[in-house]
């Protein structure tokens, strides 16, 4: 189970670190389209390390993970 948790955190962290390609606004709007609410403030707090992934609500983490997995191949060209 710990291996899965680490994988989720790593995928989400890569997304958060890629603010050049994925703005908080873009992530928020894309998740909104599929019914997941994650605010730009939450994304900003995670990016600036004001909030840790370990302290983030499961629903938020799940949404960010889903977004990251569906967009992970965009910049691998």
């Amino acid at each position: 189970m710990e291996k899965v948790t680490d994988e989720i955190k790593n995928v989400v962290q890569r997304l958060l670190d890629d603010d050049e390609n994925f703005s908080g606004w873009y992530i928020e709007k894309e998740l909104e389209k599929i019914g997941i609410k994650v605010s730009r403030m939450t994304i900003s707090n995670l990016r600036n390390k004001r909030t840790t992934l370990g302290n983030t609500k499961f629903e938020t983490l799940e949404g960010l993970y889903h977004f990251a997995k569906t967009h992970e191949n965009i910049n691998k060209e």
Side-chain angles (χ1 to χ4, degrees):
M1 186 68 163
E2 188 174 326
K3 188 175 182 180
V4 173
T5 303
D6 288 343
E7 169 63 16
I8 291 170
K9 286 181 180 180
N10 289 336
V11 168
V12 171
Q13 191 60 56
R14 281 194 303 270
L15 169 69
L16 294 170
D17 291 344
D18 194 6
D19 60 343
E20 190 173 300
N21 293 303
F22 299 111
S23 70
W25 180 87
Y26 179 73
I27 294 169
E28 177 186 32
K29 295 303 174 191
E30 289 297 305
L31 289 175
E32 227 172 62
K33 289 179 187 177
I34 58 172
I36 299 170
K37 295 275 189 192
V38 176
S39 72
R40 280 174 273 174
M41 181 59 76
T42 299
I43 295 164
S44 176
N45 286 341
L46 287 166
R47 282 185 166 158
N48 295 317
K49 309 286 192 241
R50 290 187 199 120
T51 305
T52 64
L53 290 174
N55 292 335
T56 304
K57 290 192 316 185
F58 177 76
E59 294 81 14
T60 301
L61 209 51
E62 179 182 34
L64 291 170
Y65 179 73
H66 172 75
F67 180 88
K69 290 303 278 184
T70 57
H71 291 77
E72 71 181 343
N73 292 323
I74 288 178
N75 297 312
K76 289 187 178 180
E77 298 170 352

